Amino acid sequence: MIRNLEDFLTDWQHESDSTLKILEALTDESLQQRVSEEGRTLGKLAWHLVTSIDEMIGRTGLQFSATPHETPQPLTAKEMVEAYKESSDSIVKAIKEQWTDESLLEEKDMYGEQWTVATVLQTLISHQIHHRGQMTILMRQAGLPVPGMYGPSRDEWLAFGEEAPE
């Protein structure tokens, strides 16, 4: 629950760092990995996380610089990492400069509903977590190591020279 700006900034630091770990583990070749013909590719999911910062937070009226939602997907994972870093850093800076704890109570039109800014921020975090989970499945299918988000992953346990707990 986001009760003040510091709650969000603390959570966002961990969650954006976790998203960066996932994005940094991608290879250009892995961007085409998909579960099925109808499913999004790993690259589309990654780019969706990058551009959703603009798409979601942009609806709150916060003035910041982020990769616009309509920007075409780049061809390299490195470009996605850089775009994500810039967008994430930009919202943090803008929030610190433009909002107060009282801003969290303001209601904004989000997809035809009225959400508080606190709800928008919590949804942004949950959205990142949701799509990172999807991405880890595609990463495994692509043969990529998966970084741990809330503790060591199986790959990290093995790198420590230990068996992953069951």
Side-chain angles (χ1 to χ4, degrees):
M1 172 181 238
I2 297 173
R3 299 163 304 208
N4 55 54
L5 292 178
E6 194 56 38
D7 286 345
F8 171 74
L9 294 169
T10 299
D11 287 351
W12 183 253
Q13 182 66 56
H14 175 77
E15 297 305 334
S16 63
D17 286 350
S18 294
T19 298
L20 275 171
K21 282 200 246 180
I22 292 287
L23 294 174
E24 289 169 341
L26 302 179
T27 63
D28 296 346
E29 298 76 30
S30 72
L31 299 179
Q32 298 309 311
Q33 183 67 44
R34 66 174 78 223
V35 170
S36 65
E37 280 302 310
E38 312 81 48
R40 290 180 180 172
T41 64
L42 186 50
K44 281 210 183 297
L45 285 168
W47 194 238
H48 175 63
L49 284 182
V50 173
T51 61
S52 64
I53 294 173
D54 170 68
E55 199 280 324
M56 292 178 80
I57 302 303
R59 293 173 181 264
T60 67
L62 186 71
Q63 299 299 306
F64 63 102
S65 175
T67 301
H69 187 251
E70 313 78 38
T71 304
Q73 178 184 323
L75 299 176
T76 69
K78 182 178 180 180
E79 290 173 277
M80 293 183 193
V81 168
E82 291 308 313
Y84 183 85
K85 281 182 191 176
E86 290 171 15
S87 295
S88 178
D89 290 347
S90 180
I91 65 162
V92 168
K93 183 177 186 292
I95 286 170
K96 288 178 179 179
E97 293 173 353
Q98 297 172 41
W99 284 350
T100 64
D101 290 343
E102 289 73 34
S103 302
L104 297 173
L105 302 175
E106 294 175 15
E107 291 195 345
K108 304 295 179 177
D109 182 7
M110 294 293 289
Y111 316 108
E113 299 177 358
Q114 291 297 305
W115 295 6
T116 64
V117 168
T119 299
V120 175
L121 294 174
Q122 187 63 60
T123 301
L124 178 67
I125 288 172
S126 298
H127 182 256
Q128 297 257 316
I129 294 166
H130 165 71
H131 287 304
R132 281 196 324 250
Q134 292 175 317
M135 291 173 70
T136 60
I137 301 300
L138 294 172
M139 290 172 72
R140 289 241 186 260
Q141 289 179 326
L144 298 177
V146 174
M149 301 291 105
Y150 303 103
S153 69
R154 180 186 72 195
D155 303 297
E156 290 169 334
W157 279 109
L158 295 173
F160 299 150
E162 299 190 27
E163 294 263 339
E166 289 192 26

